[in-house]
Each structure stands twice: as C-alpha cells, then as structure tokens.
Amino acid sequence: MASSTEPTETSGGHSGRLASRLRRERVSSYWFAGAGYFAIALFGLIVLTLVYQSLPLLSEFSIVQMLTSSQWDPAQQEFGFLPAIVGTIYVTILSMAMGTPIAILAAIYIAEFAEGRTKTLVSSFIDVLAAIPSVIFGLVALIVVVPFVGDYLAPAVGSSATGLGIFTVSLVMAIVVTPFMISLSVESLESLPDELRESSLGVGATQWETIRSVLLRAAGPGIFSAVLLGFGRVFGATIVPAMLIGGQTQIPDSLFATGQTLPTLIVNDFGELMSLPLTQSALIFVGLTLVIVVWLFNFSAMYVRKRLKRRWQY
C-alpha cells in the first residue's frame, strides 16, 4: 500500500509547487504591467494639469502670437516667448557642439587606447565629474569662467561683456554633460565583441581604420543615445543657466550677450509673479512647451535609434 501511494504524493507536491510558481509569476506580471500603466497615467496627469492651467492664457492669446513675440512684460500682459526660445536653442546647440566631439574622442581613448592604471585613473575622474552637482559647476564658473570671459575672451574677439551670457552658460553646460556622454559611449564601445576588432585587424586594417569604419558604426546607436541624453540635460537645465545667463529677456545679438532660457524664465519669475493668474498660466504654459518638445524629441530619437540599429547591426 505504501509503495502505491508514495508516487502519487510526490507528484501532487510537485504539481503544487509548479502551480505556486505560476501563480507568483502571474502576480509579478500584473505588478510589472501596473507599474508601466502607472507611468503612462502619471505622464498623462501631468500633461492634463499643465494644459488645464494653461487655458486662461490660451483663451487670451494665440500660440503663434506668443511664440513669435519678443515682448515679455507680465505687468503689461505681454507674453512673448521668442527670446527664451532663441536663448534655449543657442545654449543647447553651442553646448552640444562643444561637448560631443570631446566626449566621443575621450571615449575612444579610454575604450581603445588607455590601459592599466591610466585607464582606471581617467575613468574614475570622469565618474567623479559626472557625480558633482551642477550647482558646484555654476559656483566655480562664477569665480573662474565669468571673469575670464568678461576680461579676456570677449574683448579678444571685439565684444564687450560682463562674462555672464550665452557663451558662458554653453561652455559650462558642455563641461557638465560631457562626463555623462563619455561614460555611456565607453560602455557602448567596450560592449562590442573582440571578434570585430580581430576580424578588421586581420584583413590588414590599422587600428584607427578599425575604430572609424567598424567600431564607431557598431557602437553608433549607443553613442547616439549618449548624445541624446546630453541634449536632454542641456535643454532642461535650470540651475546653471539661472546662475550664469544674466536673466535678461531679450533676443541675444551675440554669443556673449545675456539672455534667457525657457527653464530660467520659470525660475526667475515663479515666486513674485505667481500671484497674478495670467502670469501663472503663462509660466505653466512654458512648462507645457518644455514637456512637449522633450517628448517629441525623445520619440523622434527612438525612431532614429531603431533605424541606426537595423542599418549598423553587426
């Protein structure tokens, strides 16, 4: 009797454990799906709140009128966002133009040329730079970069400036985002299989030809993602531009002129002007504009990244 019931009990215990594991996996999948839907719902709630709070302004002024007007005077109910838009575009393009080549070259050096203690030392310093709060960069820039730009660099090119302005912000933001782009680009290059390098070197290519024609193409989507992260950080940067751009709502007539960006427009006017309903609505509309631009950019970048992966796959 004992020998006839034992297999049945063992089989029943195994079925029970299997059912329990399947039940836990099913519950886990519900939690994961719930977390994903929560993120979508949170994004939708933020957008709806911004749209609702922007309605008083949108009922008084047209979007085209606000985006193309250069007059920003909340006391006179003039809400022209063009100076802040131009300032944001200047700072973003100039920062990325200065930071991206340095980030890619530094990543190539660390991933393909540096060895031993040198590689460890350089990588650790880059990680430390990436971890420093951006407000520290702003403080150091006020002491070092602003006087240098105002006293030496701007006069050298025939411009008079105090040192605060578009160029100073762009230079500092390039320094802020470059460590992030370097770290991510190094990870992309080091994740490539050694067979790629060996195959290219084996057919007679030099190390530089291998890097340029094989490795950069294979790691292209990862490097592209690193540049996108840098772009997003510069576009939405607040504290460094607020400290260094000068806070003048005007269209800059030179790279050394003072100006304004969309995030600093919110920061500078948020406190004292939020008691005015129309001004509050205008600042919230600026936030809505930032969210829409970043979302559109990320959506476009996702599409481009997928195309690059298909085209440059190895």
Side-chain angles (χ1 to χ4, degrees):
M1 291 298 291
S3 60
S4 62
T5 56
E6 190 171 314
T8 305
E9 291 175 356
T10 303
S11 176
H14 179 71
S15 300
R17 288 194 296 272
L18 180 59
S20 176
R21 287 174 54 190
L22 291 175
R23 189 164 51 251
R24 285 199 298 270
E25 289 184 5
R26 193 161 49 247
V27 172
S28 299
S29 67
Y30 290 150
W31 275 106
F32 294 143
Y37 288 126
F38 175 76
I40 297 174
L42 183 61
F43 177 78
L45 180 63
I46 292 173
V47 172
L48 287 177
T49 302
L50 294 175
V51 170
Y52 178 75
Q53 294 293 331
S54 301
L55 289 179
L57 179 75
L58 296 176
S59 63
E60 296 283 340
F61 304 94
S62 72
I63 293 179
V64 174
Q65 178 186 357
M66 291 185 290
L67 297 182
T68 57
S69 173
S70 60
Q71 301 299 320
W72 173 261
D73 189 354
Q76 301 297 324
Q77 295 198 348
E78 294 178 333
F79 302 102
F81 299 120
L82 187 60
I85 293 173
V86 172
T88 305
I89 293 173
Y90 276 1
V91 169
T92 304
I93 292 177
L94 201 56
S95 297
M96 298 309 295
M98 290 189 282
T100 302
I102 296 173
I104 294 176
L105 292 176
I108 292 173
Y109 169 73
I110 295 172
E112 303 300 326
F113 293 99
E115 295 179 349
R117 291 184 178 179
T118 303
K119 183 173 183 175
T120 304
L121 187 66
V122 175
S123 299
S124 62
F125 270 104
I126 289 174
D127 291 339
V128 170
L129 282 174
I132 294 176
S134 55
V135 67
I136 303 300
F137 287 97
L139 288 174
V140 175
L142 282 172
I143 299 171
V144 178
V145 181
V146 171
F148 173 75
V149 172
D151 297 339
Y152 300 102
L153 188 58
V157 297
S159 177
S160 60
T162 61
L164 298 174
I166 298 292
F167 181 84
T168 304
V169 174
S170 304
L171 178 61
V172 177
M173 283 309 303
I175 297 172
V176 170
V177 300
T178 296
F180 285 96
M181 294 193 290
I182 292 175
S183 297
L184 295 175
S185 299
V186 168
E187 289 180 7
S188 299
L189 287 168
E190 289 184 338
S191 66
L192 298 177
D194 290 335
E195 288 78 5
L196 277 178
R197 299 172 178 83
E198 294 168 357
S199 299
S200 178
L201 295 173
V203 297
T206 63
Q207 187 174 10
W208 172 243
E209 289 172 339
T210 300
I211 292 170
R212 185 189 61 191
S213 304
V214 179
L215 301 184
L216 287 181
R217 287 174 63 90
I223 296 175
F224 182 68
S225 298
V227 174
L228 292 182
L229 285 177
F231 174 91
R233 186 157 189 201
V234 173
F235 190 83
T238 303
I239 187 66
V240 170
M243 296 172 71
L244 302 174
I245 202 167
Q248 300 295 320
T249 310
Q250 58 184 8
I251 296 179
D253 55 2
S254 76
L255 293 180
F256 298 100
T258 56
Q260 194 80 275
T261 65
L262 290 171
T264 60
L265 194 66
I266 299 175
V267 172
N268 292 336
D269 294 343
F270 185 83
E272 56 182 315
L273 296 177
M274 285 298 281
S275 58
L276 305 174
L278 210 54
T279 304
Q280 174 182 326
S281 182
L283 296 179
I284 292 175
F285 177 74
V286 173
L288 177 64
T289 304
L290 283 170
V291 171
I292 292 175
V293 170
V294 171
W295 180 78
L296 287 175
F297 184 81
N298 286 343
F299 184 79
S300 303
M302 190 187 309
Y303 174 76
V304 173
R305 191 164 58 242
K306 287 183 178 178
R307 293 290 300 268
L308 289 178
K309 282 184 177 178
R310 284 201 294 267
R311 183 177 178 183
W312 294 348
Q313 61 183 351
Y314 56 88

